[in-house]
Amino acid sequence: MKLSTVLLGSAFVAACALTACSNDGGSTGDYAPTPAITDTTSMPSSEGAVAAGTNEIVISGFAYTAPATVAPGTQVTVRNNDTAEHTVTADTGGAFDVEIEGGETATLTVPSTPGTYPFHCTYHPNMHGDLTVG
C-alpha cells in the first residue's frame, strides 16, 4: 500500500472521529460550555486614555489614566484605586499638587493656561502622566 493512501485514510478516519464527537446540540455528553464573548468596545485603550468629556484622573496599578484634554480652569476628580498613597504633582511651576490616600478621591483645579502639564507621584518616581489643558 502506498504511503499517500495510508495518510489519506488516516486523515479520513480522524475527520470522521471529530465529526462524531462534535456537539450537535441534541446530545447530553460531557462538553465544556462555550465561553462567553465580552464586548470590550467601551473599555479604555491600552494607552490609558479616559473617555472624552470625563474629567477624572484614575490611579490604578501604580499608573495614571488621564483624560485626553480638559478645559482650562475646570476641576478634575482624582480617584486612587490603589491601596498606597499617591500624589498628582505638576513637574514644574507648581501648577497643581494633590495628595490622595489609597481608595480615596480628591479634586484639583487645572491651570487656566492651555498647554500640556507633565506630572508625577512624589512617593513613586516611576509614576508619570500628562494633563492636557485646551
Side-chain angles (χ1 to χ4, degrees):
M1 187 182 293
K2 289 185 174 179
L3 181 60
S4 62
T5 305
V6 171
L7 292 176
L8 183 60
S10 297
F12 177 77
V13 169
C16 289
L18 288 175
T19 302
C21 292
S22 69
N23 185 358
D24 63 358
S27 65
T28 59
D30 290 334
Y31 297 103
T34 304
I37 298 174
T38 304
D39 180 7
T40 59
T41 56
S42 63
M43 296 180 69
S45 73
S46 60
E47 295 296 318
V50 174
T54 304
N55 286 336
E56 185 174 67
I57 295 172
V58 178
I59 303 169
S60 184
F62 288 79
Y64 296 108
T65 302
T69 59
V70 294
T74 60
Q75 291 206 338
V76 172
T77 300
V78 180
R79 182 175 313 283
N80 184 355
N81 289 337
D82 288 343
T83 57
E85 182 177 9
H86 295 294
T87 69
V88 177
T89 306
D91 287 356
T92 59
F96 48 86
D97 185 15
V98 174
E99 188 172 323
I100 181 167
E101 295 287 333
E104 299 290 326
T105 59
T107 312
L108 71 84
T109 302
V110 302
S112 57
T113 304
T116 299
Y117 295 84
F119 60 88
H120 64 278
C121 176
T122 58
Y123 302 123
H124 308 99
N126 60 320
M127 292 178 62
H128 296 275
D130 291 304
L131 183 63
T132 302
V133 178

